[in-house]
Amino acid sequence: MDDEPLKDWAERRDAKIGRLRAVPVVSGDGPRASHLNPDAPRAVERWNGHVWEPYGFAANLAEAKAILYPEADEPKPTGPVPKPLGSGTGKHRKPRSPTSDGGGRTQG
């Protein structure tokens, strides 16, 4: 059997430390999937390398997502979007002649 070296396993485990998850607070064996109970309160837990420990509380799924993914709340930059390809004379482009009107016909 090919065992993973302990060093590699420890690095992989340590990379997950600090990860957050939101667990719906439902009674009994009710459905725990987030899309089934979006209005249910959530317990936010943090992985410490060994167990999930309490980290916070959210009133619903939307609030939990704001805690888990804070970068999604940051405003996106506005303004002109740069064009990836501008006009130019690449190999695949036909050279324009000075007498061309842009429609492929020559003036005359």
Side-chain angles (χ1 to χ4, degrees), residues 81-103:
V81 178
K83 295 167 88 176
L85 294 176
S87 59
T89 56
K91 278 193 206 179
H92 63 286
R93 299 178 189 255
K94 292 182 181 178
R96 288 191 174 187
S97 64
T99 58
S100 176
D101 65 355

Side-chain angles (χ1 to χ4, degrees), residues 1-106:
M1 183 171 166
D2 251 354
D3 285 337
E4 177 181 20
L6 184 59
K7 178 185 171 208
D8 294 345
W9 173 82
E11 286 175 3
R12 199 167 31 91
R13 184 199 64 193
D14 291 345
K16 296 177 183 180
I17 292 177
R19 182 176 290 177
L20 299 177
R21 74 174 182 182
V23 181
V25 179
V26 293
S27 59
D29 290 331
R32 296 178 58 94
S34 63
H35 67 283
L36 296 178
N37 291 317
D39 295 328
R42 303 290 199 270
V44 179
E45 300 174 334
R46 181 180 174 273
W47 181 248
N48 70 6
H50 301 285
V51 296
W52 290 98
E53 60 187 13
Y55 179 79
F57 186 79
N60 56 31
L61 178 60
E63 193 175 309
K65 284 185 176 183
I67 295 170
L68 297 177
Y69 311 109
E71 64 276 356
D73 291 338
E74 294 175 1
K76 296 192 178 2
T78 58
V81 178
K83 295 167 88 176
L85 294 176
S87 59
T89 56
K91 278 193 206 179
H92 63 286
R93 299 178 189 255
K94 292 182 181 178
R96 288 191 174 187
S97 64
T99 58
S100 176
D101 65 355
R105 292 176 280 163
T106 55

